Amino acid sequence: MTASTPSTGPGGPQSPAGPAPHTGPAARGAAPRGILDRLDALREADLPVHGGRTMAYVYDSGLDGVEELAAAAQARFAGVNGLDMTAFPSVVALENAVVGRAARLLGGGPDTVGTFTSGGTESCLLAVLTAREHARRTRGVTAPELVLPTTVHAAFHKAAALFGLRTVSVPVDPETYRVRPEDVAAAITPRTALVVVSAPSYAHGVVDPVAEVAAEAERRGVLCHVDACIGGWYLGHLRYADGVPHPPAFDLSVPGVTSLSVDLHKYGYTAKGASVLLVRDAELRRHGWFAHASWPGYPVVNATLQGTKSAGPLAAAWAVLEHIGTDGYTELSRRVHAATAALTAGIGALDGLRVLGRPEASLIAVASEDPAALDVFVVADEIRAEGWYLQPQPAFDGSPATLHLTVTAAVAGEETVRLLLADLAKAVERARALGPATVGPALAEAAAGLDPDALGPEEVALALSLAGIGADGALPERMAPVLAVLQALPPRLTERLLPEVIGRLYRPESGAPPAPGEGSRPAEG
């Protein structure tokens, strides 16, 4: 047997690969305290999830006790299986309460129904699946299409790939970054199963003209979905705040809107994963459900893509919604609005930066005035060194490379806003001195000639090495050069390479499972 180099993982140094069983703590069972210490050590390399410095992925209310309440509620329901509501009627009671609250906030009527899901992606997938089946059963559409603005979330493209719909992408206005209703109308055909609009779009934080687009869809007998995953809870409560401009109409109260998705683990500040898909009525919703009785086991009916699922996130969401309440969310929305306005004005005043569009929610897209002199990807690296994470967004379809800021309630303080703007100004000056990350013309020319579907392992390895990613999958400390290469590649080639990048990161630890009888007793302590 050939010896291999031990690797390091959550359990510490690993045994060489081979038939020998694990020895040491992995075989005996580890003490709880040691396990928790190891988890804490792993978290040290992560971005912070509190304090507002991570301006993507995490949502912090800044309120004391919310996380502890969610954890306690989740623990009480962690073992409850949401698969069978006849065995666990508590699931029905909690889901009806959460969906009812969302429906009342977001324009639902007496017929509105909904489903609690694991997150925004699942809510969007279910909206597309429902529309596909509705088009097939009620209109006989066998080659369904999905009409999407180019700014729509990637989850809808994922849904189309999974469920066999053709996507029809509609460009957005190059100044406002909103889709134009007349362009959507021109894209609708007898094969259209669903039209999607965003409230707001993730990349730019602007709200599409929902009323006008929904009217065009309704006129042609087509369903219209509003993706309010990131902004619905915030915008819905902002309408109750005094002294702030109210958002345009975007929810189920708008004629022609037939479904809407809203994430609670975003501006509801609940534990992940918690989202709601609201649907016009039960007759429409049934098209997205799965039922099966043609087997000798128990009858199956699934409202979600999951079967077995813990009721823990549902209980945690219900608890946090009850605790914060309408008045609390309205105040949090008002604070977020004030912080977003202050950051938008402050960033616009910095030399070399500009805010794209006119953000109507809590998301800001920041571009460079002169990319040849100031590279926002380099700015992202520089401000990360100051302890902030601003998410880089590559250029696409007329939208330049940008930095994305998700403004949460934890950012909503004058001191935090002042500190962020000061650190951003310093990062801009350092990035200007460093110069932009560049891609050689020879590389860009060679990449343009590659066929993504024909790339073999050697070509993939070469392409990734040119992007600064080694065979071990480790990402470089500075991401600007990697992002510059990926941005320069044709999108299909980037989509071919990205799974290879992530695939190199996810490799199982080496070693075999314990032999029978080993590891049956936990370690003392």
Side-chain angles (χ1 to χ4, degrees):
M1 181 175 66
T2 330
S4 61
T5 305
S7 62
T8 302
Q14 302 299 306
S15 303
H22 278 297
T23 58
R28 296 194 307 272
R33 182 66 262 168
I35 290 171
L36 296 176
D37 287 344
R38 283 150 60 193
L39 289 175
D40 289 341
L42 286 172
R43 280 285 290 117
E44 290 177 2
D46 291 348
L47 292 168
V49 298
H50 299 110
R53 284 179 167 262
T54 302
M55 304 196 75
Y57 305 123
V58 299
Y59 300 83
D60 182 7
S61 70
L63 300 177
D64 293 335
V66 169
E67 230 177 61
E68 292 77 9
L69 172 63
Q74 184 151 334
R76 281 165 170 76
F77 276 75
V80 174
N81 192 340
L83 172 64
D84 190 343
M85 67 297 299
T86 66
F88 302 102
S90 61
V91 172
V92 177
L94 289 174
E95 181 156 337
N96 283 342
V98 169
V99 170
R101 189 181 194 114
R104 290 191 298 274
L105 176 70
L106 295 169
D111 295 328
T112 301
V113 294
T115 301
F116 182 86
T117 77
S118 64
T121 292
E122 187 176 17
S123 291
C124 298
L125 292 178
L126 289 171
V128 173
L129 177 62
T130 300
R132 185 196 73 177
E133 291 304 290
H134 176 267
R136 179 178 67 85
R137 296 170 184 172
T138 66
R139 294 164 45 213
V141 177
T142 57
E145 295 178 344
L146 195 56
V147 173
L148 306 169
T150 53
T151 51
V152 82
H153 195 277
F156 292 95
H157 292 275
K158 181 177 183 177
L162 289 174
F163 302 141
L165 289 86
R166 174 176 174 265
T167 58
V168 179
S169 293
V170 179
V172 298
D173 184 282
E175 298 296 326
T176 66
Y177 298 99
R178 298 178 181 86
V179 74
R180 291 174 287 234
E182 60 271 23
D183 292 340
V184 174
I188 296 175
T189 74
R191 295 182 298 277
T192 304
L194 184 67
V195 170
V196 180
V197 283
S198 304
S201 62
Y202 183 86
H204 303 105
V206 298
V207 178
D208 283 326
V210 173
E212 293 86 346
V213 171
E216 295 289 354
E218 185 176 42
R219 204 168 3 254
R220 291 160 176 79
V222 171
L223 301 180
C224 179
H225 178 81
V226 176
D227 175 19
C229 283
I230 196 167
W233 208 252
Y234 163 76
L235 292 172
H237 285 94
L238 192 64
R239 293 183 292 205
Y240 295 101
D242 295 329
V244 302
H246 289 185
F250 70 92
D251 59 18
L252 284 166
S253 66
V254 175
V257 172
T258 52
S259 60
L260 178 146
S261 50
V262 57
D263 289 359
L264 305 179
H265 60 220
K266 291 188 169 78
Y267 286 94
Y269 301 107
T270 72
K272 300 182 184 299
S275 179
V276 169
L277 171 65
L278 295 174
V279 182
R280 177 183 61 195
D281 54 45
E283 174 60 23
L284 177 57
R285 180 180 62 176
R286 73 175 179 86
H287 293 290
W289 285 20
F290 172 80
H292 187 77
S294 301
W295 75 310
Y298 59 93
V300 173
V301 58
N302 297 145
T304 62
L305 300 178
Q306 302 174 87
T308 289
K309 54 187 178 184
S310 170
L314 171 61
W318 174 84
V320 172
L321 298 183
E322 288 288 303
H323 175 61
I324 296 179
T326 300
D327 290 347
Y329 282 118
T330 300
E331 173 57 20
L332 290 173
S333 294
R334 187 197 62 75
R335 293 177 58 202
V336 168
H337 169 80
T340 304
L343 284 171
T344 299
I347 292 169
L350 292 178
D351 182 31
L353 296 181
R354 62 190 177 101
V355 174
L356 296 189
R358 296 180 61 187
E360 293 169 294
S362 53
L363 314 176
I364 305 171
V366 182
S368 171
E369 290 279 7
D370 180 6
L374 179 64
D375 184 343
V376 291
F377 295 160
V378 180
V379 175
D381 283 340
E382 289 303 312
I383 199 165
R384 187 162 183 173
E386 299 284 346
W388 300 90
Y389 178 77
L390 275 56
Q391 185 181 51
Q393 298 184 139
F396 178 75
D397 193 39
S399 178
T402 58
L403 297 179
H404 169 95
L405 285 75
T406 294
V407 183
T408 67
V411 183
E414 291 184 8
E415 179 60 23
T416 305
V417 169
R418 185 200 63 76
L419 181 60
L420 172 56
L421 291 173
D423 285 345
L424 182 57
K426 290 186 288 185
V428 164
E429 290 309 308
R430 292 198 301 270
R432 186 178 281 111
L434 288 168
T438 57
V439 178
L443 172 60
E445 183 179 350
L450 294 176
D451 179 0
D453 297 325
L455 292 185
E458 292 183 0
E459 291 87 354
V460 167
L462 176 61
L464 292 183
S465 68
L466 292 173
I469 299 168
D472 60 356
L475 298 175
E477 184 175 339
R478 297 185 67 86
M479 289 298 295
V482 176
L483 291 165
V485 170
L486 293 178
Q487 180 176 252
L489 300 179
R492 284 191 63 243
L493 181 56
T494 300
E495 291 163 359
R496 171 67 179 88
L497 294 176
L498 285 175
E500 299 288 344
V501 174
I502 304 305
R504 293 181 179 206
L505 294 175
Y506 284 95
R507 293 180 175 177
E509 296 177 7
S510 60
E518 290 195 54
S520 58
R521 291 181 302 167
E524 297 180 3

